[in-house]
Amino acid sequence: MKKGILVACLSLVVLTLTGCGDDTVKTMKCSRTMDQSGIKADFQYEVTYKGNDVVTVKTVEKMETSEENAKALEEAKKNVETMYAEYNKLDHYSNEVKVEGNVLTSTTEIDYSKVDTEAMIKLDSANGSIIKDGKINVDDLKTMYESTGATCEK
């Protein structure tokens, strides 16, 4: 009887310790800055993930220009809004663009645990290079960001 209880307790301990995977939500932050032709750009990416699967991505992209070129930002704002218009129709995907003085800020938030990734691929087939079986691997995303010059910390 004691041996049966010991085996049951050991089995319970083993199951508890091994679990069903890592459900801890972790964060990766990436950033990139540029200064080109009088335009300063700052890109910030905040990625939450469980295991290897990306859960959410928040991107804040800022472009700053000289005061005399600030009017050009309104045209850039229209271009960014046009680029994201179809994505903004998706649930769990949002992009907001604003211009304040000589700074354009584009903020995009995506909940990959809920967004229709197939629809994203239909909107732009290039999304298929990072979305696999409806999910995004955090290491693949890190590699993609770093290939554009970003620095990432997990």
Side-chain angles (χ1 to χ4, degrees):
M1 177 80 167
K2 285 184 181 182
K3 188 175 182 181
I5 293 173
L6 179 62
V7 169
C9 287
L10 286 175
S11 297
L12 183 60
V13 169
V14 169
L15 287 173
T16 302
L17 292 177
T18 57
C20 298
D22 187 4
D23 281 345
T24 305
V25 176
K26 298 178 183 173
T27 302
M28 174 177 71
K29 293 187 178 189
C30 303
S31 63
R32 173 173 70 117
T33 58
M34 298 177 356
D35 192 350
Q36 187 175 7
S37 303
I39 298 175
K40 293 178 184 176
D42 178 57
F43 305 94
Q44 301 294 321
Y45 310 98
E46 185 173 304
V47 179
T48 62
Y49 61 99
K50 282 185 184 180
N52 289 322
D53 295 333
V54 171
V55 179
T56 63
V57 175
K58 179 178 181 180
T59 304
V60 179
E61 302 170 319
K62 291 185 179 184
M63 292 182 356
E64 181 178 350
T65 188
S66 63
E67 291 293 333
E68 54 270 3
N69 291 326
K71 289 184 181 181
L73 291 179
E74 286 301 328
E75 186 64 30
K77 179 181 184 242
K78 289 178 187 174
N79 291 337
V80 173
E81 288 172 335
T82 299
M83 183 173 65
Y84 286 105
E86 292 301 312
Y87 287 98
N88 273 335
K89 293 177 183 176
L90 299 174
D91 291 335
H92 313 291
Y93 191 112
S94 69
N95 174 265
E96 179 185 349
V97 186
K98 63 183 176 182
V99 175
E100 294 175 324
N102 62 327
V103 178
L104 178 145
T105 304
S106 173
T107 304
T108 305
E109 296 186 59
I110 310 165
D111 184 341
Y112 281 103
S113 69
K114 298 176 181 174
V115 72
D116 185 345
T117 54
E118 289 301 315
M120 290 179 66
I121 293 169
K122 285 180 184 175
L123 289 172
D124 184 350
S125 62
N127 289 323
S129 67
I130 194 83
I131 299 170
K132 306 287 188 229
D133 296 323
K135 297 182 180 190
I136 295 179
N137 181 291
V138 68
D139 294 321
D140 292 346
L141 192 60
K142 181 177 185 268
T143 299
M144 184 182 80
Y145 288 153
E146 289 176 339
S147 73
T148 66
T151 302
C152 296
E153 293 182 23
K154 282 175 90 176

